[in-house]
Amino acid sequence: SRVASNPLPAGTVMVVPDLESMRNDRPATVAFPCPAMATTAGGYAIARQLYDTLVEYGTDGSVVPRLAESVTPGETADVWTVKLREATWSDGRPVTADDVIASVQRWFDPNEPMAPANSLPFVDPAAITKVDDRTVEFHLKYPTVVFPDALTSPLAAIVPADFDATTPIGSGPFVLADNDPGVRVTFT
């Protein structure tokens, strides 16, 4: 896992991306990225700087934890339990089970479904339960062993329950310092 037990302070990263693909155009006045709406490699790279997924692929190709401490199947793989590690948002609040549930339910909004919903056809957004502040249980529509793999995409990044794309708060390695759309994005 790339999660360091004693992370070093971050420096400054400046990128010149194609931000158009990451804009949350709902409403049109929103001017900063929503990770579930990234559509280019540049958009995915930016999402990885600000946000975290529950799991990711490790260097050996296996699924390794990010925000999740563990992702464990039930006996028949139709129930999965996600235990969160202790993590915080860039504003200092803890990442909680409520954030995970709100993120997933947001992807499945029947009026405006987002890309992650397409890679999670087995997830029933109404059948996700909070076990405690750091544990979420997913009751799937049908058993599958690919549940953790489907959560590795940068599109499946977890955001705070009160997510606002105009003021991005994430749990990723960097914080937004400056955004000049179409020109550059600076992270600290």
Side-chain angles (χ1 to χ4, degrees):
S1 165
R2 61 178 197 162
V3 178
S5 58
N6 294 310
L8 299 173
T12 299
V13 174
M14 185 181 299
V15 294
V16 181
D18 168 19
L19 283 181
E20 291 304 313
S21 66
M22 281 191 69
R23 290 181 191 262
N24 179 346
D25 291 56
R26 302 175 286 211
T29 57
V30 174
F32 205 77
C34 166
M37 296 183 71
T39 59
T40 66
Y44 300 151
I46 291 169
R48 283 286 193 203
Q49 305 315 306
L50 291 176
Y51 309 106
D52 247 334
T53 53
L54 292 170
V55 293
E56 69 179 356
Y57 287 116
T59 56
D60 65 355
S62 65
V63 175
V64 296
R66 285 296 306 142
L67 283 176
E69 184 175 283
S70 63
V71 178
T72 310
E75 194 169 306
T76 58
D78 60 344
V79 176
W80 286 78
T81 302
V82 176
K83 178 75 174 172
L84 298 172
R85 67 177 171 86
E86 289 186 26
T88 56
W89 298 113
S90 57
D91 66 0
R93 294 179 294 156
V95 176
T96 68
D98 293 325
D99 298 314
V100 173
I101 293 169
S103 292
V104 175
Q105 289 177 340
R106 187 170 169 267
W107 303 335
F108 285 89
D109 179 339
N111 297 317
E112 299 182 83
M114 297 182 169
N118 294 328
S119 61
L120 298 165
F122 39 79
V123 170
D124 179 352
I128 304 169
T129 57
K130 175 181 174 179
V131 175
D132 60 40
D133 283 343
R134 290 183 40 223
T135 309
V136 179
E137 198 169 74
F138 290 80
H139 297 265
L140 305 182
K141 294 176 183 176
Y142 52 86
T144 184
V145 296
V146 299
F147 177 73
D149 296 89
L151 299 173
T152 61
S153 168
L155 298 173
I158 302 302
V159 296
D162 60 353
F163 179 72
D164 177 356
T166 62
T167 54
I169 305 268
S171 60
F174 292 96
V175 175
L176 177 67
D178 180 49
N179 173 27
D180 189 357
V183 179
R184 78 175 168 277
V185 178
T186 306
F187 303 100
T188 56

